[in-house]
Amino acid sequence: MRIGICAPSTPFTRQDADRVIALAAEHHPAVELVFDDQCFVEQGHFAGSDAQRLEALVRLANDPAFDAIWFVRGGYGACRIAADAIAALKAPARKKTYLGYSDQGNLLAALYKAGVGWPAHGPMPADIRREGGEAAVLRALGWLAKGDTAALEPNLVKGRRYAAFNLMTLAMLAPTPLMPDLSGHVLMVEEVSEYLYAFDRAMFSVTTGLKGAALSGLMLGRVSDIPENDRPFGSDEEAIAQHWCAKNGIAYLGRADIGHDSGNRIVPFGMIG
């Protein structure tokens, strides 16, 4: 199996790429990881210009020699190239799995809406930097290479449709043409490094916008690294999610095992077979 790795948002380092390659060679010797040189380009905040990031993604996705595309990390930048990437994808791109999370939710959403390949929310090579990050990388590789079901979010039920996003990413992309139809889906959301009032605002935006989408329900992943405000907000993240779900007629279905951490599990978009 060959996995192409690109950086639609922010850059990676060759040292960390070497760590991921060595880990894959030890545990999955039949898997070849190909980090595109674009992953290591730095241009301000981004892993190269919009044109460079777009070119790398489209080239790898359209190359029939690759079985999957693995987004190297999040940050910000995927939304700037997502629509152009979808327009440039050809037949080989429709046969691939695409894996990432965080800012890459923009691309997962766009791919899912366009019916291109099999997008999934899950660990990225950059998770090697986290405490326990090797387990996250191996979880992703086990699923990509062997379809390891132990890597999947444990609440997934066969015959139901799912999608998973970072909440703030979803709040930003929901009013745009990148947003897929989530009718009949269980939506899982997670968040990191946001004040609870910002989390509340984003939950208001997402649940209100999806009020008429006939969601099957919403599950809340981990909300981590919450900054301290100058005064307590008065509700925790689960109470906030429950409040906005109730207000907008969306079933709250409990907690999900996803988040910006090394325990992040995989959620394929669409129906679980």
Side-chain angles (χ1 to χ4, degrees), residues 6-13 37-54 72-81 103-104 106:
C6 60
S9 302
T10 53
F12 204 43
T13 68
D37 285 341
Q38 175 268 324
C39 291
F40 315 117
V41 176
E42 296 186 29
Q43 183 170 322
H45 172 86
F46 303 103
S49 66
D50 288 357
Q52 287 174 302
R53 301 194 322 279
L54 174 64
V72 77
R73 63 174 300 192
Y76 170 70
C79 67
R80 295 170 63 104
I81 65 171
D103 189 57
Q104 304 315 324
N106 289 285

Side-chain angles (χ1 to χ4, degrees), residues 44-164:
H45 172 86
F46 303 103
S49 66
D50 288 357
Q52 287 174 302
R53 301 194 322 279
L54 174 64
E55 187 278 333
L57 169 59
V58 170
R59 172 168 41 79
L60 294 181
N62 285 339
D63 188 341
F66 292 108
D67 303 290
I69 302 299
W70 201 7
F71 302 128
V72 77
R73 63 174 300 192
Y76 170 70
C79 67
R80 295 170 63 104
I81 65 171
D84 289 338
I86 296 299
L89 296 181
K90 302 185 185 305
R94 296 184 173 274
K95 301 177 182 179
K96 292 178 170 56
T97 300
Y98 298 83
L99 184 63
Y101 71 106
S102 190
D103 189 57
Q104 304 315 324
N106 289 285
L107 281 167
L108 299 178
L111 289 161
Y112 189 51
K113 180 178 182 178
V116 174
W118 300 278
H121 177 286
M124 297 181 288
D127 287 313
I128 195 75
R129 300 170 175 173
R130 299 187 188 278
E131 183 178 352
E134 289 190 358
V137 170
L138 290 175
R139 186 180 311 117
L141 287 171
W143 183 73
L144 286 169
K146 297 182 178 179
D148 181 11
T149 57
L152 296 175
E153 204 285 333
N155 293 290
L156 301 181
V157 176
K158 287 185 179 181
R160 300 193 78 173
R161 298 181 186 275
Y162 293 86

Side-chain angles (χ1 to χ4, degrees), residues 112 121 156 160-167 170-171 173-174 179-190 202-203 205-211 213-221 241 245 250-256 258 267 269:
Y112 189 51
H121 177 286
L156 301 181
R160 300 193 78 173
R161 298 181 186 275
Y162 293 86
F165 292 94
N166 169 261
L167 179 65
L170 179 59
L173 76 85
M179 184 67 179
D181 180 5
L182 295 183
S183 299
H185 290 64
V186 174
L187 172 63
M188 298 182 177
V189 295
E190 51 81 20
M203 191 63 73
S205 177
V206 166
T207 57
T208 304
L210 292 175
K211 185 174 182 178
L215 285 178
S216 289
L218 182 143
M219 299 189 75
L220 180 64
C245 283
I250 297 169
Y252 178 73
L253 302 177
R255 302 306 295 255
I258 62 171
V267 181
F269 280 46

